[in-house]
Amino acid sequence: TGSDRARANFRLAAKLSLGFVALVWLIPLLGWGLELERFGVRPRQWIGLPGILFAPLLHADFNHLIANSLPLLVLGTAMLHVYPNAAFRVLPAVYLGPGIAVWFFGKGGVHVGASGLVYGLVSYIFVGGLIRRDRRAIAASLLVSFMYGTLAWGVLPINPAVSWETHLAAALIGAMLAITLRHRDNPPRARYS
């Protein structure tokens, strides 16, 4: 809608998403040379448990960080604007859930990056648009599929340097939450006289 409230909600969603992206950029800048990626998820190792909390904030290099920044901004804004009530359940789940799954089932090594958030949000927004009869949800779903449809390849074990386990876990969590929370954030029905 074009109401003042809708525009204010969109601005707030964009500011929150931009704030998170700024935090993700601030961490490597402040920790330059400290090899912070060692605090990522290490599957089935006790030392890797804190990585569940820290891994989405850490990246292997600046190319990895750049690749996740714009999707985090776009998808975070879309999630907070289109699904404001569900966002406060979905965001913690796609932030922590993939790390937990990777700790239990992932391959060895250190898993870092916010791509779990990206895959979880893409999955939630896409599936949410498919199962709802809301024009905004359908538009967001089409936009996400157009912009990030090629991410589907990331859930397959094609590239050994990519944590496909994180991507797959996040996509499954996002899809399950979209189905579970499908009755939240429904717009009021238009009534005609």
Side-chain angles (χ1 to χ4, degrees):
T1 64
S3 70
D4 290 336
R5 183 175 179 184
R7 284 191 291 274
N9 289 342
F10 180 78
R11 283 193 297 273
L12 178 62
K15 287 178 186 176
L16 290 172
S17 297
L18 187 59
F20 182 77
V21 171
L23 173 68
V24 171
W25 271 89
L26 188 64
I27 289 171
L29 294 176
L30 292 178
W32 187 269
L34 297 178
E35 298 178 10
L36 295 176
E37 62 273 359
R38 72 178 185 263
F39 296 110
V41 177
R42 294 172 187 259
R44 294 166 303 284
Q45 296 179 17
W46 293 111
I47 196 168
L49 275 176
I52 293 170
L53 186 62
F54 298 122
L57 302 173
L58 307 173
H59 289 80
D61 54 30
F62 279 103
N63 289 332
H64 189 205
L65 180 59
I66 290 167
N68 284 331
S69 295
L70 184 60
L72 281 175
L73 181 62
V74 171
L75 296 167
T77 302
M79 182 70 198
L80 289 166
H81 181 63
V82 178
Y83 304 106
N85 295 324
F88 294 104
R89 292 178 188 239
V90 173
L91 291 172
V94 297
Y95 184 91
L96 297 172
I100 294 168
V102 166
W103 192 84
F104 281 109
F105 306 111
K107 67 179 183 272
V110 180
H111 300 255
V112 294
S115 57
L117 274 169
V118 171
Y119 274 81
L121 293 176
V122 164
S123 179
Y124 184 91
I125 294 169
F126 178 71
V127 173
L130 291 178
I131 61 177
R132 292 173 184 249
R133 294 183 182 189
D134 172 17
R135 285 185 285 175
R136 290 184 340 152
I138 294 169
S141 178
L142 289 172
L143 178 69
V144 162
S145 64
F146 176 73
M147 291 178 71
Y148 303 113
T150 59
L151 289 179
W153 294 107
V155 300
L156 301 174
I158 297 172
N159 185 349
V162 173
S163 178
W164 66 272
E165 299 98 330
T166 302
H167 300 168
L168 179 61
L172 291 174
I173 291 168
M176 286 187 300
L177 287 171
I179 294 166
T180 304
L181 302 174
R182 67 186 172 274
H183 298 298
R184 287 194 179 265
D185 297 310
N186 287 334
R189 290 189 171 199
R191 296 187 181 215
Y192 301 100
S193 59

